[in-house]
Amino acid sequence: MSGHATYEFKNPIVRWIEARLPIFSVMKAQAMDFPTPRNLNYWWTFGGIAATMLVMQILTGIVLVMHYTPHVSMAFDSVEGIMRDVNYGWLIRWLHANGASFFFIAVYIHMFRGLYYGSYKAPREVLWMIGVLIFLAMMATAFMGYVLPWGQMSYWGAVVITNLFSAIPVVGDPIVQWLWGGFSVGNPTLQRFFSLHYLLPFVLAALVFLHIWALHVVGNNNPDGIDVKSEQDTLPFHPFYTMKDLYAILVFFLVYLAFVFYSPWYLGHAINFAKADPMVTPPHIVPEWYFLPFYAMLRAVPDKLGGVVVMFASIIILFFLPWLDRSPVRSARYRPLYRFFFWLLVIDGIFLGIVGSQPPEGWWIPAGRIATTWYFIHFLVVLPLLSQIERPKPMPASITEAVLSRGGH
Amino acid sequence: MTTFIDQEASRRDFLFIATGTVGAAGTALALWPFIDQMNPDASVLALASTEFDMAPLAEGQGVTIKWRGKPVFIRHRTKEEIEKAKKTPLAELKDPVARNANLPPDAPATDENRVKDATGKVNEKYLVQIGICTHLGCVPLGEAGEYHGWFCPCHGSVYDTAGRIRKGPAPRNLDIPPYKYVSDTKIVIG
Ligand code: HEM
Ligand code: FES
């Protein structure tokens, strides 16, 4: 965390390299000795889980590209070829398709962890904002990846999402044609999405690097939300947290692989097993589950531009979170009112997801509007207000005291 | 640099600024080809026009054909459909303009203006429109929705029997492509 620790290495080759590029001392200081609060719970393992999923996506993706053909007349069949002909192709493809879902599960839990424990507050604002950028880049990557198998849902998802940009006044239509490279979603669109789908995960990897760099400048937050005061409050990252993370990754993979092996299509849509048909929209088009809350917000507003603005605003607002919540207390553990509203936001988010999965009719329309309004009220009204009126519970003097008072060790 | 601060603008300052400016302008100009390559290319722009003969369409029958990769709805409307569309007062419409590529952009959305071709010919039986919802681009379903025109399943936009938007998030009436009659029933689109 601080200064440059000086290490003496015994191995002469290591010493030779170290004198020219100090990579061994950096690795040791940042990945092994890094002082980490001793009270981190399992919610802190989801960062490592998410990073592991990114690696899985890159590995399986590179293998898929060896067999996939990015052309409208061959893409669908090449994916079927991966499923039926390529040795273990079915495994690689289901790892990749379900991997996207489990990547989002990990990242959503990771983000809500940040919300609950106030990890976005000073001095972690930049760390948090890089996180929001990662979330945006992930959404773009997953959206373009989903287009590649060129099924009905791939195609119509691409049509609806690219058309969002047509809501921009004056330049909207030229922008959409520029995105498409034509007058409708077609082969040029598929090819550029393929190129970008390959590129963006590496941009993500670079953002993750910056995210971890920022983390290692300011240090981890922790469940009590209080600063590390002495060495007593910390443990070296290795072996304590490398092992805890590894254990969590293994349990997470148990669930992930259960889906891959026993119901690999459960999280997808059957209609994507039908080849894209630009002349017929399927009766009920919905995005993948991880986009549903945002889709619900898009549809909540009965105006095209309005819906698009609200949807993007729901994510942009996260950049401002460190300045919307002004309470000096980080952890919801010591903020009884905030804790209540946090869980209300979780329910609101899940409910928006359900609304997004339903056809836009009847009762679901007002329900979506109320839930969307609440989302914004939470960030724009509730959080600033709570920082004024809430009386936090008494805080322990140090992490060590907090741990010992709960009978820990 | 600090040693130059108090001095008058020197030959070196001039060269710094001139070099920086040329570098920045050059980079900006070099960006354009990288952006423009994504626009529709020559083969896409060169798409031909499409001919269609509507004579075989029975009353109440519609077909979807392809033009420039887009679905085009061609419908032989029933008497009631035409009647209903004509009776609708313009004040009730969400989008008051015809959206007909064959007419000036401010032509009102009367039923007649929705079926006029490039030469001003009107055959109110036949309605020709681009079958793309003006909301986010889905293909609406025919003979569906509250007005028995078109209904978009994606986010619930409702169009009437002249393809005009009546309810839901879509901002515009369905677009009418450029077309003209070459005989009483045959049209050329594009
Ligand atoms: C952030 C990481 C990534 C995410 C979230 C992601 C997401 C997705 C998704 C959702 C699909 C559609 C799966 C389906 O329904 O079949 C897909 C397909 C695909 N992805 Fe990725 N991907 C990632 C990284 C990569 C990388 C790094 C590559 C290439 C090096 C790649 C190559 C492919 C290919 C070739 C397909 C089409 C084959 C198929 O549909 O299974 N992906 N991706
Ligand atoms: S695309 Fe038709 S209502 Fe949204």
Side-chain angles (χ1 to χ4, degrees):
Chain A
M1 193 157 64
S2 59
H4 286 278
T6 42
Y7 295 106
E8 283 297 321
F9 295 99
K10 287 207 187 70
N11 185 315
I13 299 176
V14 169
R15 289 170 75 114
W16 188 88
I17 297 175
E18 176 73 18
R20 287 153 183 83
L21 177 71
I23 187 160
F24 294 102
S25 55
V26 169
M27 289 303 290
K28 187 154 163 43
Q30 303 299 329
M32 296 176 76
D33 298 348
F34 186 68
T36 312
R38 63 194 276 183
N39 57 339
L40 299 190
N41 56 28
Y42 273 104
W43 299 114
W44 259 261
T45 61
F46 283 89
I49 293 174
T52 310
M53 291 316 297
L54 177 60
V55 173
M56 279 301 288
Q57 289 305 94
I58 291 179
L59 289 180
T60 51
I62 287 174
V63 173
L64 285 171
V65 174
M66 296 180 186
H67 307 279
Y68 170 80
T69 314
H71 189 279
V72 287
S73 64
M74 286 180 277
F76 185 83
D77 294 335
S78 74
V79 172
E80 284 312 300
I82 292 172
M83 296 300 289
R84 291 151 201 262
D85 302 338
V86 176
N87 297 333
Y88 291 103
W90 58 272
L91 177 61
I92 307 289
R93 197 240 177 155
W94 286 139
L95 281 172
H96 195 77
N98 287 281
S101 278
F102 278 82
F103 193 9
F104 273 96
I105 290 176
V107 166
Y108 277 130
I109 294 176
H110 187 66
M111 291 171 78
F112 275 106
R113 185 283 317 260
L115 290 181
Y116 188 85
Y117 294 110
S119 299
Y120 46 86
K121 293 186 188 184
R124 297 184 182 81
E125 300 94 325
V126 170
L127 175 55
W128 170 261
M129 289 158 84
I130 296 172
V132 180
L133 282 180
I134 290 175
F135 182 51
L136 283 170
M138 257 179 89
M139 301 220 285
T141 308
F143 158 64
M144 290 195 256
Y146 192 66
V147 176
L148 301 185
W150 209 242
Q152 268 291 64
M153 205 61 104
S154 300
Y155 182 87
W156 290 102
V159 169
V160 168
I161 302 300
T162 48
N163 261 307
L164 292 179
F165 294 90
S166 71
I168 303 169
V170 190
V171 292
D173 286 322
I175 288 184
V176 172
Q177 285 191 5
W178 176 74
L179 288 172
W180 289 341
F183 301 106
S184 53
V185 172
N187 197 53
T189 326
L190 176 61
Q191 293 201 355
R192 63 192 55 182
F193 279 16
F194 178 59
S195 166
L196 295 175
H197 185 68
Y198 207 135
L199 167 71
L200 278 180
F202 296 92
V203 173
L204 261 164
L207 286 170
V208 170
F209 177 80
L210 291 179
H211 193 66
I212 293 173
W213 185 2
L215 171 70
H216 281 224
V217 171
V218 295
N220 288 87
N221 184 28
N222 61 78
D224 289 294
I226 43 186
D227 291 330
V228 167
K229 301 222 166 60
S230 67
E231 219 188 307
Q232 246 194 71
D233 289 345
T234 68
L235 293 168
F237 187 72
H238 179 74
F240 294 95
Y241 287 112
T242 42
M243 287 305 130
K244 187 163 182 159
D245 279 355
L246 186 59
Y247 177 67
I249 289 167
L250 290 175
V251 173
F252 190 81
F253 264 58
L254 225 51
V255 185
Y256 165 38
L257 295 180
F259 272 84
V260 168
F261 286 113
Y262 295 103
S263 58
W265 49 83
Y266 180 79
L267 294 167
H269 302 284
I271 191 75
N272 221 29
F273 288 110
K275 194 171 171 172
D277 180 354
M279 296 293 121
V280 186
T281 308
H284 184 42
I285 72 156
V286 270
E288 292 293 86
W289 69 267
Y290 36 82
F291 292 135
L292 289 175
F294 303 100
Y295 195 57
M297 293 198 217
L298 169 75
R299 300 192 304 188
V301 188
D303 173 75
K304 182 165 159 179
L305 182 59
V308 174
V309 167
V310 162
M311 187 182 74
F312 281 110
S314 69
I315 298 171
I316 301 304
I317 206 170
L318 296 176
F319 282 110
F320 297 95
L321 183 55
W323 297 277
L324 289 169
D325 178 0
R326 311 214 62 117
S327 166
V329 178
R330 293 196 190 102
S331 171
R333 234 177 223 178
Y334 303 102
R335 297 186 62 190
L337 280 179
Y338 174 71
R339 189 160 58 209
F340 170 78
F341 284 107
F342 168 85
W343 286 112
L344 202 57
L345 183 72
V346 173
I347 293 170
D348 192 53
I350 294 173
F351 182 70
L352 274 168
I354 298 171
V355 173
S357 72
Q358 298 301 314
E361 322 168 323
W363 185 82
W364 293 107
I365 296 175
R369 291 193 182 147
I370 293 169
T372 304
T373 311
W374 181 258
Y375 180 90
F376 285 94
I377 288 181
H378 175 90
F379 286 104
L380 295 175
V381 181
V382 173
L383 289 187
L385 211 63
L386 279 190
S387 357
Q388 303 280 327
I389 60 171
E390 187 176 40
R391 290 202 53 202
K393 291 205 255 177
M395 311 268 295
S398 71
I399 292 176
T400 305
E401 188 193 295
V403 173
L404 296 180
S405 74
R406 279 193 290 272
H409 39 75
Chain B
M1 279 300 287
T2 47
T3 51
F4 298 118
I5 279 178
D6 296 329
Q7 295 172 6
E8 277 177 55
S10 66
R11 189 179 138 82
R12 173 170 280 159
D13 289 338
F14 172 78
L15 288 174
F16 274 162
I17 293 169
T19 312
T21 309
V22 172
T27 310
L29 284 177
L31 221 53
W32 178 245
F34 285 85
I35 295 170
D36 192 38
Q37 53 82 21
M38 277 174 67
N39 274 316
D41 71 13
S43 73
V44 172
L45 292 172
L47 280 178
S49 50
T50 301
E51 217 180 53
F52 186 76
D53 186 1
M54 302 188 281
L57 290 182
E59 185 172 323
Q61 198 186 5
V63 290
T64 305
I65 65 166
K66 207 171 183 173
W67 171 68
R68 279 187 159 184
K70 297 179 186 188
V72 172
F73 293 158
I74 301 181
R75 181 164 173 80
H76 184 160
R77 298 189 294 172
T78 63
K79 300 246 156 39
E80 302 83 77
E81 286 173 355
I82 300 170
E83 215 42 41
K84 260 208 294 197
K86 284 187 143 167
K87 274 209 305 253
T88 307
L90 286 188
E92 261 180 39
L93 298 176
K94 244 182 101 176
D95 176 16
V97 287
R99 305 289 169 195
N100 185 336
N102 307 294
L103 297 178
D106 57 348
T110 56
D111 188 60
E112 191 189 319
N113 278 345
R114 296 281 299 164
V115 290
K116 217 176 244 177
D117 82 346
T119 61
K121 185 175 156 103
V122 170
N123 190 347
E124 63 185 22
K125 284 194 298 197
Y126 298 123
L127 178 61
V128 179
Q129 5 175 36
I130 295 180
I132 292 182
C133 180
T134 58
H135 182 225
L136 296 175
C138 292
V139 179
L141 305 167
E143 292 164 90
E146 209 181 311
Y147 293 85
H148 294 280
W150 283 266
F151 173 75
C152 183
C154 290
H155 319 98
S157 288
V158 182
Y159 299 88
D160 67 12
T161 53
R164 296 173 297 195
I165 180 68
R166 304 303 290 272
K167 267 195 177 162
R172 287 179 289 116
N173 302 326
L174 291 177
D175 289 312
I176 311 279
Y179 72 97
K180 63 169 188 278
Y181 282 93
V182 287
S183 77
D184 271 354
T185 55
K186 203 185 252 177
I187 55 167
V188 174
I189 307 173

